[in-house]
Amino acid sequence: MSDARPAPGTEMIMQWRKWDGSPHWRHECVYLGSDRWGDWIGQPVGWRSARPGREFTADGLNVTLVPAGREDFALTVNRDHPKGMRIYIDLGWDVHWSDDPLLVTGIDMDLDVVRVTGERGTWVDDRDEWAEHSAEYGYPPAVMAHLEALALDLEEGVRAQHPPFDDATADAWLDRLAALDLGPGGQGGRSAGRA
């Protein structure tokens, strides 16, 4: 695990896998910097996310917090998401910077905390996938208990908009990402980070 960080504006990759080691989402990103909450990476409009069998390009700016001092979630905040999704938290395991300072890796643990604008609000998502995969992959009981409790804590924090789940914290990083004025599709992002 590397303590080195790239210079702000450097293209990089965030690579998720599943508990059994199979590949999951791979996001082309750019390093933005850090604050008291951890490291922030961004995905400009038109940059690619892909997993086996599916891919898309970002319709709006988004930033992801890789929290300092913990490895059990990553917080993504969107601006101008076409479906009104403001917050998407991936609960994870072993979420960290790899030995390659251009690569963040983690295990996607199915549960997500979502906040959308409008009546639907905030909720814990993908409980069905969590139940299915816990049986299929044999998640350890201690890991399951930790993440189930964390999902409820994060849901509460998002509802209350406690930092870093408030709008102001992420908006500052979204503004930084917008100021970089990066075009669609990172030039080196597709090859940055070896996963």
Side-chain angles (χ1 to χ4, degrees):
M1 189 157 95
S2 176
D3 290 329
R5 298 293 181 266
T10 302
E11 294 179 31
M12 55 168 293
I13 294 292
M14 184 163 191
Q15 174 70 61
W16 291 97
R17 64 190 184 280
K18 298 305 282 184
W19 187 262
D20 67 352
S22 59
H24 196 49
W25 286 110
R26 180 181 179 89
H27 306 288
E28 294 176 351
C29 302
V30 60
Y31 184 71
L32 298 173
S34 64
D35 62 12
R36 63 181 284 209
W37 304 109
D39 289 290
W40 292 85
I41 60 179
Q43 189 174 52
V45 174
W47 285 35
R48 184 173 168 257
S49 293
R51 71 177 188 195
R54 186 165 175 221
E55 70 176 76
F56 67 89
T57 56
D59 291 326
L61 298 176
N62 67 76
V63 293
T64 297
L65 170 65
V66 181
R70 56 186 315 148
E71 297 184 345
D72 51 9
F73 76 91
L75 160 69
T76 297
V77 183
N78 297 286
R79 177 175 284 169
D80 301 323
H81 190 278
K83 295 182 179 176
M85 186 182 300
R86 177 63 173 173
I87 287 180
Y88 194 94
I89 301 175
D90 287 286
L91 272 77
W93 204 252
D94 197 28
V95 180
H96 67 276
W97 290 84
S98 72
D99 291 335
D100 181 342
L102 299 179
L103 178 65
V104 173
T105 66
I107 300 171
D108 177 89
M109 295 300 292
D110 312 317
L111 290 175
D112 306 296
V113 176
V114 179
R115 185 181 104 194
V116 298
T117 55
E119 291 181 20
R120 190 148 185 222
T122 301
W123 71 94
V124 177
D125 200 20
D126 290 337
R127 290 185 186 276
D128 54 343
E129 186 179 351
W130 168 250
E132 178 186 327
H133 285 167
S134 65
E136 180 181 346
Y137 297 138
Y139 296 156
V143 170
M144 291 185 67
H146 173 81
L147 293 177
E148 286 169 355
L150 177 61
L152 298 178
D153 288 346
L154 291 170
E155 181 184 26
E156 182 179 319
V158 170
R159 279 187 204 282
Q161 296 192 33
H162 293 306
F165 311 116
D166 61 316
D167 289 332
T169 299
D171 280 341
W173 292 102
L174 285 159
D175 290 345
R176 272 193 209 192
L177 177 58
L180 292 174
D181 197 26
L182 298 169
Q187 296 301 309
R190 291 178 186 89
S191 58
R194 295 169 291 281

